[in-house]
Amino acid sequence: MAQTINSAKARLKKGELAIGCGIRLVRNVDIIKIMKAAGFDWMFIDCEHGSTSIETACELSVAAQDSGVAPIVRVPYGQLTMATRVLDGGAMGIVIPHVDTPEEAREIADKLRYPPRGHRSVGGADAQFDYAPPPLGEMTKAIDEQMLLTVMIETPKAVENAEAIAAVPGIDCLLVGSSDLSMELGIPGDRGHQKIQDSVDKVVAACKKHGKWPGMGGAYSDELLKLYTGKGMKMILSGNDMPLMIAATKALQSKVRAFQK
């Protein structure tokens, strides 16, 4: 019986870092080979910001099934029907942004988990089983076990409610979105500020108490990645394709230009 393993969730279960990279600029299947060659555990297919469509997200997700890089899709706020569609289309995880309350988290888990944990509708044969699924109960249980469900903590209210959100059954990970959180805290872009650090500490503590995994996004410098992994963050969004490409190409042209005598 074929089934793709969620490599990010497998890492997390072993207490290891699950390291991902954001996909916004490159929207073809070649990026999967690049992510695999670079050694990433998951790719963050971003449908909240940018122009990536459901169709593109599903194509990337299906193509990634056998790569060892888990396709995880962020949908826009409140778009739970979009989330179920990309899950049906091959995604192995969902990220829901701007989750402020346990009530929101409960609705998310209810809509995105199969019965008996929730009430997600069954769409039929899935890419996770090469479109040749086992019996329905076996299939839905296996897919539900592999699916990584993440909510983003991006406001002071969400930080305040982190423990209650972490207590919600069916939620796997609380991921701090440090860019939006810095805006909400009045410190735009200062992702190393003590206010962000204090927020991270609260989220990590909440996750430890309730057996969930804490995650970090937006903190991409070496200094910040070291800081927040040191604080206990496990699901790490370590960068995304656009700034990585810009940084690499700028460094290359600067190096070559310096050769001129």
Side-chain angles (χ1 to χ4, degrees), residues 92-216:
M92 300 198 72
I94 293 292
V95 177
I96 304 289
H98 311 297
V99 177
D100 287 342
T101 68
E103 290 77 18
E104 290 175 291
R106 278 193 285 271
E107 182 182 9
I108 290 163
D110 182 69
K111 293 294 193 296
L112 302 190
R113 293 289 182 188
Y114 284 125
R117 301 175 74 188
H119 295 89
R120 176 183 165 191
S121 178
V122 178
D126 289 336
Q128 287 90 333
F129 289 98
D130 295 340
Y131 303 110
L136 184 61
E138 187 178 341
M139 180 192 78
T140 53
K141 181 180 179 182
I143 289 176
D144 215 45
E145 287 175 351
Q146 291 298 320
M147 197 264 283
L148 185 65
L149 185 52
T150 298
V151 296
M152 293 193 71
I153 305 299
E154 302 183 272
T155 66
K157 183 177 181 180
V159 174
E160 181 182 345
N161 288 327
E163 186 173 329
I165 293 170
V168 174
I171 300 299
D172 293 311
C173 176
L174 277 63
L175 190 148
V176 174
S178 60
S179 295
D180 280 347
L181 183 57
S182 74
M183 293 289 291
E184 295 281 347
L185 290 170
I187 48 169
D190 190 353
R191 299 171 183 88
H193 194 282
Q194 191 61 49
K195 289 182 178 180
I196 300 289
Q197 294 190 45
D198 292 344
S199 298
V200 164
D201 290 338
K202 290 179 182 178
V203 171
V204 170
C207 288
K208 285 183 177 178
K209 181 175 180 178
H210 294 285
K212 306 301 172 66
W213 294 300
M216 192 72 188

Side-chain angles (χ1 to χ4, degrees), residues 17-66:
L17 295 181
I19 304 174
C21 184
I23 307 301
R24 286 185 59 192
L25 184 65
V26 182
R27 292 186 291 274
N28 59 61
V29 295
D30 300 309
I31 194 64
I32 298 164
K33 293 287 190 181
I34 294 170
M35 295 295 103
K36 180 179 180 180
F40 286 105
D41 303 307
W42 57 285
M43 57 183 189
F44 182 79
I45 303 169
D46 194 356
C47 292
E48 181 189 17
H49 297 295
S51 59
T52 300
S53 66
I54 291 178
E55 183 176 9
T56 298
C58 291
E59 287 177 352
L60 289 170
S61 295
V62 171
Q65 287 297 322
D66 302 319

